[in-house]
Amino acid sequence: MELNVILSNKRDAKSLLEEEYSVYFLIEGEEIIYIGKSTNYQNRLHQHKIDKEFDSFYVHSCKNRSEMEILEFKMIAKYKPILNKTLPTVEIYPSANKLKSYLNMGAWEFKRFLKKYDIKPFTEYNVLNYYEMQDLLKGGIIW
């Protein structure tokens, strides 16, 4: 989902207090500085006011936990906010390190495997590559 679609769905913070699953964007000026997820939006916003400087925020409500986790992962991967130091763990987007361990492969063998099946990373974040499960199925990986 594109950010402009998410931002067009922004709501008054009060109306979100009743909603359980949400992905939020902290904004400083024109820059998204942090993206997070929450099942208790009011508490998270209060915590962020203590340790982060931002002048506005946007919230997107989600239908369930899975949608919330995937959306948070994709938005952090796409916009790379300065205060998000790592990508969250989402099973359908395993990191290269997690895959190598799962497949019991060394770096060189893993590289050959990716080349053989023409598997490209979904995204790179802080030097780690992350892969999409549908691409890994080409190589016969059952996750």
Side-chain angles (χ1 to χ4, degrees):
M1 187 177 292
E2 292 298 315
L3 183 60
N4 58 359
V5 174
I6 292 168
L7 298 185
S8 70
N9 289 332
K10 73 176 185 172
R11 300 191 185 157
D12 182 313
K14 268 191 162 187
S15 71
L16 286 164
L17 297 180
E18 305 303 316
E19 295 178 358
E20 189 169 38
Y21 302 109
S22 60
V23 174
Y24 58 89
F25 302 77
L26 302 183
I27 315 282
E28 180 66 33
E30 297 291 317
E31 181 183 5
I32 298 169
I33 60 167
Y34 187 81
I35 297 172
K37 67 179 185 281
S38 179
T39 56
N40 186 332
Y41 182 75
Q42 186 177 22
N43 282 349
R44 289 303 290 147
L45 184 60
H46 179 69
Q47 290 169 347
H48 287 311
K49 285 181 179 179
I50 293 169
D51 65 356
K52 292 177 180 61
E53 289 187 34
F54 58 97
D55 52 32
S56 61
F57 62 92
Y58 296 99
V59 178
H60 178 75
S61 61
C62 299
K63 295 175 194 154
N64 53 49
R65 180 175 298 281
S66 179
E67 179 186 336
M68 175 182 70
E69 290 175 352
I70 291 169
L71 182 62
E72 178 198 31
F73 177 93
K74 285 185 171 182
M75 294 296 100
I76 292 171
K78 182 173 184 172
Y79 294 102
K80 298 175 175 46
I82 194 165
L83 296 180
N84 289 96
K85 302 299 181 201
T86 61
L87 278 172
T89 301
V90 177
E91 287 299 315
I92 64 168
Y93 296 103
S95 71
N97 290 343
K98 194 167 192 171
L99 279 172
K100 284 189 277 190
S101 174
Y102 177 76
L103 296 169
N104 197 25
M105 291 181 178
W108 192 81
E109 187 179 12
F110 183 67
K111 199 173 187 177
R112 279 193 358 212
F113 170 81
L114 296 176
K115 186 175 182 175
K116 177 179 179 180
Y117 294 102
D118 194 32
I119 299 171
K120 307 274 190 268
F122 167 75
T123 189
E124 180 184 316
Y125 200 86
N126 288 348
V127 189
L128 274 179
N129 287 326
Y130 291 81
Y131 297 87
E132 202 160 9
M133 286 311 301
Q134 65 188 25
D135 293 336
L136 296 171
L137 293 173
K138 293 187 289 188
I141 295 177
I142 305 300
W143 193 249

